[in-house]
Amino acid sequence: MKRLTKSFFAFLIAMLPMVAMAQIDGEFIKPRSGKFLLKNATVVTITKGVLNNTSVLVENGKIQEIGASIAANGAEEIDCTGLFIYPGMIDSGTKLGLAEVSSVPETVDFSEVGNFTPNMQALTAVNPNSEAIPVTRVSGVTTVLTVPSGGLFPGTAALINLNGYTPDQMYAGFKAVVMNFPSSGRRGRFDRRSDDDIKKANEKALKDANELWENAKTYLKLKNEGASLEYYPEMDQLAKVISGELALLVQVDAASDIQNALKWLEGKDVKVILSGVSEGWRVADEIAKSGYPVITGPVQDLPTRESDRYDTPYANAGKMAKAGVKVAIRTDEIENVRNLPFHAAYAASYGMGKEEAWKAVTINAAEIFGIADQYGSVEQGKVANLIVATGDPFETQSQIMHVFIDGYRIPLSNRHIRLYQEFLERSPGLKSK
């Protein structure tokens, strides 16, 4: 049923009209830098309100000026009359760039062998030439957190911009060690373990986590004292969390597991981000009291329990936000990260509100990742990650007309669009005999 639901959403998006396709046909085929003046738009800044009939000057990868009358001074002018400028959207949890086709193992590189591999870098494994990247960015998603999966500490997630020839060029300034917090429940409907076996497995996993944590504390202490240590990259990476150099991204979903995670984190003076949190609404006040920010999603999903209302996952983000939790949204996808605007739209419609939903895919994410001085809103001096649309991108009828990443003007083309254009008018066509 879950697969059918996701396939249905993907089908709906694929069937949307693509007005922007013809716009770029023959215009340019690769990202290009320059000086651009986006003229006479409605600018939705996110942090400083909505500015009508306003222009935005982009140069050297930054937003240089925002105002009603800006001199072009050699800039390429783009008429945005009747259009809307937004900051590029940030998806706070994906596997984009780490896998091409999830059903083909040779293209999947987000999971390593072993239970303790925090030193495995998602950034190193990112494929800048992934076909899913241009598919994603034409929907207005300019930045994503790409996250490894697997064991207890599966690796280090990395924030990337969706433009660049190398992973280092794409890096957007944030990394976090991932922890899959031990689950006290079943892994799914096909989990045939007894209750006693599940309890023992959970206790062992927590014991392992505690031992690894204490070992990392000892390792850091010895390192700071100048002790001669053997090469131990796994422990060195986890020690960076304890020292405060890296954040800890704790993946946890069930309400009881969230509570256990909050107890486990007590007294640990580290930067923590909770991710997943599909039952966060059940313990929203406890999460708010902890002060930890949350990355939640997918929003377009099925309830975790058969007894829950159909709209439980849609309302989860909004309920946590109303409880005082800082919330960002993720798709937790490989191929369909492009649907982030519609995950946010569902959250907006089911209690979060449009303004908070926009923050959840822009400034909230930037603040959680510690990069709000550079990303997340349309402000002078920030990185020019911008999208220009015919209307609110949360609405399926709105079209993305222009995309800028790091000041580069991005061609609105991808494999999907090229195939659409190829077969729209077949030449030479087939003739019936």
Side-chain angles (χ1 to χ4, degrees):
M1 179 65 183
K2 192 169 183 177
R3 288 184 180 179
L4 288 174
T5 302
K6 289 188 175 182
S7 296
F8 177 67
F9 281 120
F11 171 78
L12 284 180
I13 302 306
M15 293 302 292
L16 290 175
M18 298 182 182
V19 174
M21 290 178 182
Q23 177 210 2
I24 63 92
D25 191 23
E27 184 182 341
F28 61 98
I29 61 172
K30 59 189 297 184
R32 55 186 175 87
S33 61
K35 185 177 181 181
F36 305 97
L37 180 61
L38 313 182
K39 298 176 60 178
N40 306 321
T42 299
V43 180
V44 183
T45 68
I46 301 299
T47 54
K48 300 191 178 208
V50 178
L51 308 176
N52 296 313
N53 196 29
T54 298
S55 300
V56 177
L57 180 65
V58 173
E59 187 179 12
N60 298 323
K62 301 281 188 177
I63 300 171
Q64 298 293 346
E65 193 175 351
I66 302 171
S69 56
I70 301 175
N73 291 331
E76 178 181 336
E77 298 183 44
I78 302 172
D79 185 13
C80 296
T81 303
L83 302 178
F84 297 78
I85 297 176
Y86 291 85
M89 284 178 268
I90 303 171
D91 190 322
S92 298
T94 75
K95 291 181 175 58
L96 190 63
L98 302 182
E100 197 66 15
V101 182
S102 55
S103 59
V104 180
E106 290 81 2
T107 72
V108 175
D109 198 16
F110 54 73
S111 181
E112 296 293 333
V113 176
N115 197 45
F116 181 55
T117 57
N119 56 307
M120 302 310 296
Q121 300 283 338
L123 185 63
T124 301
V126 166
N127 174 17
N129 300 308
S130 169
E131 290 284 2
I133 287 176
V135 168
T136 300
R137 63 194 184 192
V138 300
S139 293
V141 182
T142 59
T143 310
V144 306
L145 184 69
T146 189
V147 184
S149 64
L152 184 60
F153 290 96
T156 299
L159 191 70
I160 58 173
N161 285 320
L162 300 186
N163 182 44
Y165 287 108
T166 68
D168 286 340
Q169 287 179 341
M170 301 171 73
Y171 181 52
F174 172 81
K175 291 183 179 180
V177 171
V178 181
M179 178 187 187
N180 289 314
F181 193 81
S183 175
S184 58
R186 297 188 181 277
R187 296 168 183 158
R189 65 179 67 183
F190 300 110
D191 188 344
R192 303 303 183 192
R193 294 177 299 167
S194 67
D195 290 343
D196 190 49
D197 286 341
I198 293 172
K199 182 179 179 181
K200 288 179 180 178
N202 178 252
E203 289 174 350
K204 182 182 183 304
L206 281 173
K207 181 181 177 183
D208 290 344
N210 287 327
E211 287 181 355
L212 290 168
W213 194 265
E214 289 303 315
N215 289 343
K217 287 172 65 177
T218 302
Y219 181 94
L220 179 63
K221 180 181 178 182
L222 293 172
K223 184 178 180 180
N224 290 338
E225 291 174 352
S228 179
L229 300 170
E230 292 186 4
Y231 181 63
Y232 200 163
E234 295 91 344
M235 200 57 68
D236 191 66
Q237 189 73 354
L238 185 57
K240 291 178 182 178
V241 174
I242 296 171
S243 69
E245 183 178 342
L246 293 175
L248 183 67
L249 187 70
V250 181
Q251 308 257 30
V252 61
D253 283 300
S256 59
D257 291 337
I258 296 169
Q259 291 173 319
N260 290 337
L262 294 178
K263 290 177 184 176
W264 186 81
L265 290 165
E266 285 179 2
K268 293 178 173 64
D269 186 20
V270 297
K271 180 180 178 180
V272 174
I273 302 168
L274 302 181
S275 184
V277 202
S278 57
E279 291 191 351
W281 63 278
R282 296 180 184 274
V283 290
D285 290 336
E286 294 176 55
I287 297 172
K289 186 177 179 181
S290 74
Y292 299 138
V294 163
I295 296 167
T296 192
V299 177
Q300 293 180 341
D301 205 355
L302 296 176
T304 54
R305 309 184 192 190
E306 292 184 357
S307 58
D308 287 340
R309 284 173 52 98
Y310 77 94
D311 59 356
T312 300
Y314 310 157
N316 182 41
K319 288 181 178 179
M320 285 190 286
K322 287 181 178 178
V325 180
K326 179 168 288 186
V327 178
I329 290 176
R330 70 175 194 177
T331 59
D332 197 29
E333 283 278 9
I334 300 172
E335 296 96 344
N336 288 315
V337 180
R338 61 180 179 171
N339 289 346
L340 176 66
F342 309 116
H343 286 258
Y346 267 61
S349 298
Y350 285 85
M352 195 174 205
K354 186 182 292 186
E355 184 177 345
E356 284 302 314
W358 262 107
K359 289 181 180 179
V361 292
T362 54
I363 194 63
N364 280 8
E367 289 175 350
I368 289 171
F369 299 142
I371 56 168
D373 61 329
Q374 294 292 311
Y375 296 91
S377 61
V378 184
E379 294 182 60
Q380 186 174 341
K382 287 195 173 185
V383 173
N385 280 15
L386 303 169
I387 57 177
V388 182
T390 60
D392 189 337
F394 288 1
E395 300 285 346
T396 55
Q397 66 183 5
S398 298
Q399 300 299 318
I400 305 297
M401 306 304 292
H402 306 284
V403 174
F404 292 84
I405 302 177
D406 277 333
Y408 280 78
R409 189 178 180 189
I410 305 298
L412 297 187
S413 183
N414 57 44
R415 188 176 185 182
H416 294 185
I417 293 174
R418 290 193 298 271
L419 287 172
Y420 174 88
Q421 292 172 331
E422 173 67 26
F423 291 97
L424 185 63
E425 293 184 11
R426 302 183 188 186
S427 179
L430 295 174
K431 295 181 180 180
S432 60
K433 293 183 179 178

